[in-house]
Amino acid sequence: MSTAAPTPRSRVTRVPKRGVYDRATIDAILDEALIAHVGFAVEQQPYVIPMLLARVGDRVYVHGSTASRMVRKLAAGVPACLTVTLADGLVLARSAFHHSMNYRSVVLLGDAVLVEGADERAAALEAFTEKLLPGRWDEIRGPNEQELKATRVLAMEVSEASAKVRTGGPVDDEEDYALDTWAGVIPLALRAGAPEPDARLAPGIEPSQAVLDWAAARGW
Amino acid sequence: MSTAAPTPRSRVTRVPKRGVYDRATIDAILDEALIAHVGFAVEQQPYVIPMLLARVGDRVYVHGSTASRMVRKLAAGVPACLTVTLADGLVLARSAFHHSMNYRSVVLLGDAVLVEGADERAAALEAFTEKLLPGRWDEIRGPNEQELKATRVLAMEVSEASAKVRTGGPVDDEEDYALDTWAGVIPLALRAGAPEPDARLAPGIEPSQAVLDWAAARGW
C-alpha cells in the first residue's frame, strides 16, 4: 500500500503534533467510522452530506441512488473532501479555554470518480454490507440487475489523506492545577443496544451469530 | 423563533419523505450533536473539518484558534455548510440493497460571520462549555483576556436548515419477506464510560454532580 504523504493542502497546520499520516492509523479510523461527511461545491456553495463509507485497499467508496443530485454531481468529477470523525471523550479541564474532545479524524481530499467496472462495483457493494456488519453478506439476498442500475458507486483514493488524533487528559495552565476543580476525561464511544427484530419477522427466525456478536462487542 | 422554511438549495430532494423542516426537530438534533462537520471551499477545493458546535437561539456557533487557517478563511465571509449527523442504528434488511442506517442529520447553509460583540462572544463561549457538560461553566475558570484574543467565534443562522431523519425497521421488497434471514435494527448511540480523573488531580477532589449525572445518563 502507498504511504499517504502529506501534501501542502492536506498537511495538518493547526496543532501539528496532532497530525498523523501513517496508513495504518488512517485505515483504522476509516474502517471504524460508519458515516463519512462528504463535501463538494456547487457554484461556490459547499454542501456536506453524510454517507456510508467502506474502504477496500487504497480506495474509499461511497454510494447512492442514481437519481441523487449529490451522486450525479460527484460522479461528474469534481474536487471533493471526505471526512470521518470518531468522538472518543469529553476532555474536562480546569479552565474553559482548555476544554476539548478526544477524537480521531481523517480528511481525504481528491476527485471522486464513478466506479464503472462490474467487478469493482460488486466488491464495493459487498464491502458496504460487510462494513455495517461483518458476515452479513452471506446471510442476505445480493443485488439484482435493477438494484445495480439504481446504485452508483463512487471512489476516492486514500493517497491524499491526513489523520488528526487527540488522546489523553486535559492540559491546563500551570497555575490552574491549584484549583479544586475536578478535571479528567469522560470516555465516549458509539455503542450498540440489543438487536430489535423487524415487525414482520416470521416466528422462529433468530438473529445470526454475526448479528449477536456485533451487538455484544459494542453493548451498552 | 423563525421557521426554517426550505429554499430550493436546502430542500431535501432525495427520499423527500425523510425531510423535515420544523425548528423543534432541527434544534434538538443540533443540540444533541457534539461535533459538526463544517465545509468551505478554497479555490474550488472543498474542505470538511470537524468542529464543536453550540446553538443559542437562532444562531449556531463554532470556534477556533485565531491562528487557524480554517477559522481565518471562514471569518472572511465565505459560503459554508454545517452538517451534524447522529447515528441511531444499523438497519439490517433481507437484501443488500435495503440495508441502511437510522440517523438524524441537519444541513445548514449560509455564510459564517465572525462574532465581534463582546457579549455575544462571551455567551457563545459559555454555550460551548455548557454544551459539552451542562453545569460545567460554574465549576471552572472562565476565559482571560489573552484566551479571548486567541479565540475566534463564528456564527451561522439556523434560518436555512433542513433535517433528514430515518427511523424504524427495514423496508424490504415484498417477495423477500419470505426469506428466512433475520432482519431488524441494532440501535446505536454515543454512550459515556466512567469519568477518568486527570493524572495530576489533587487527592480528595471528586467529580461534581454535573459530571456524574452526565456520565450516568449516557452510561454503557
Side-chain angles (χ1 to χ4, degrees), chain A residues 140-163:
Chain A
I140 56 175
R141 175 177 70 69
N144 60 31
E145 273 308 308
Q146 185 189 337
E147 290 167 346
L148 288 172
K149 277 196 189 124
T151 307
R152 284 200 176 156
V153 176
L154 302 160
M156 290 178 71
E157 302 291 332
V158 185
S159 54
E160 199 173 351
S162 63

Side-chain angles (χ1 to χ4, degrees), chain A residues 30-31 33-34 52-57 59-63 119-138 140 143 153, chain B residues 96 99:
Chain A
L30 291 169
D31 293 351
L34 295 171
L52 297 174
L53 79 153
R55 184 186 62 85
V56 180
R59 303 193 107 180
V60 173
Y61 297 99
V62 294
H63 70 317
D119 288 352
E120 186 178 359
R121 268 168 60 82
L125 293 176
E126 179 171 341
F128 285 118
T129 303
E130 288 291 298
K131 168 71 179 275
L132 282 185
L133 192 92
R136 186 66 176 167
W137 188 253
D138 291 334
I140 56 175
V153 176
Chain B
H99 274 65

Side-chain angles (χ1 to χ4, degrees), chain A residues 9 37 45-46 48 80 83 85 93-94 96 99 136 139 141 174 176 181-183 185 187 189 191 193 196 198 200, chain B residues 9 37 45 48 80 83 85 93-94 96 99 136 139 141 174 176 181-183 185 187 189 191 193 196 198 200:
Chain A
R9 64 180 188 173
H37 283 82
Q45 174 63 52
V48 177
T83 299
T85 307
R94 295 158 180 88
H99 275 64
R136 186 66 176 167
E139 303 178 356
R141 175 177 70 69
E174 200 51 44
D176 289 332
T181 303
W182 187 89
V185 171
R191 311 286 290 190
E196 299 168 349
D198 178 24
R200 291 187 59 181
Chain B
R9 65 180 187 173
H37 283 82
Q45 174 63 53
V48 177
T83 300
T85 307
R94 295 157 180 88
H99 274 65
R136 186 65 175 167
E139 303 178 355
R141 175 178 69 71
E174 200 51 43
D176 290 333
T181 303
W182 186 88
V185 171
R191 309 287 288 192
E196 299 168 349
D198 178 24
R200 291 187 59 182

Side-chain angles (χ1 to χ4, degrees), chain B residues 21-202:
Chain B
Y21 305 98
D22 69 282
R23 267 299 295 276
T25 302
I26 289 167
D27 286 355
I29 297 169
L30 291 170
D31 293 350
E32 182 173 337
L34 295 171
I35 294 173
H37 283 82
V38 180
F40 61 101
V42 179
E43 292 165 8
Q44 312 303 321
Q45 174 63 53
Y47 291 84
V48 177
I49 308 292
M51 302 182 86
L52 298 175
L53 79 152
R55 183 185 64 85
V56 179
D58 291 340
R59 303 193 106 180
V60 173
Y61 297 98
V62 295
H63 70 318
S65 164
T66 304
S68 149
R69 173 175 64 171
M70 169 186 201
V71 169
R72 285 199 310 263
K73 182 76 191 167
L74 284 172
V78 293
C81 178
L82 182 149
T83 300
V84 305
T85 307
L86 301 166
D88 292 332
L90 298 190
V91 179
L92 304 175
R94 295 157 180 88
S95 65
F97 187 75
H98 287 296
H99 274 65
S100 186
M101 283 194 69
N102 283 337
Y103 67 94
R104 289 165 289 151
S105 69
V106 166
V107 173
L108 205 160
L109 301 174
D111 288 12
V113 298
L114 183 65
V115 175
E116 308 207 60
D119 288 352
E120 187 179 358
R121 270 167 60 83
L125 293 175
E126 179 172 340
F128 285 118
T129 303
E130 288 290 300
K131 168 72 178 273
L132 283 184
L133 192 94
R136 186 65 175 167
W137 188 253
D138 291 334
E139 303 178 355
I140 56 176
R141 175 178 69 71
N144 59 32
E145 274 308 307
Q146 185 190 336
E147 289 166 348
L148 288 173
K149 275 197 190 124
T151 307
R152 285 203 175 153
V153 176
L154 301 160
M156 289 177 71
E157 301 291 332
V158 184
S159 54
E160 199 173 350
S162 62
K164 222 171 157 181
V165 174
R166 193 207 184 280
T167 58
V171 178
D172 274 303
D173 289 351
E174 200 51 43
E175 60 268 31
D176 290 333
Y177 286 97
L179 298 173
D180 62 358
T181 303
W182 186 88
V185 171
I186 304 181
L188 292 171
L190 194 65
R191 309 287 288 192
E196 299 168 349
D198 178 24
R200 291 187 59 182
L201 194 69

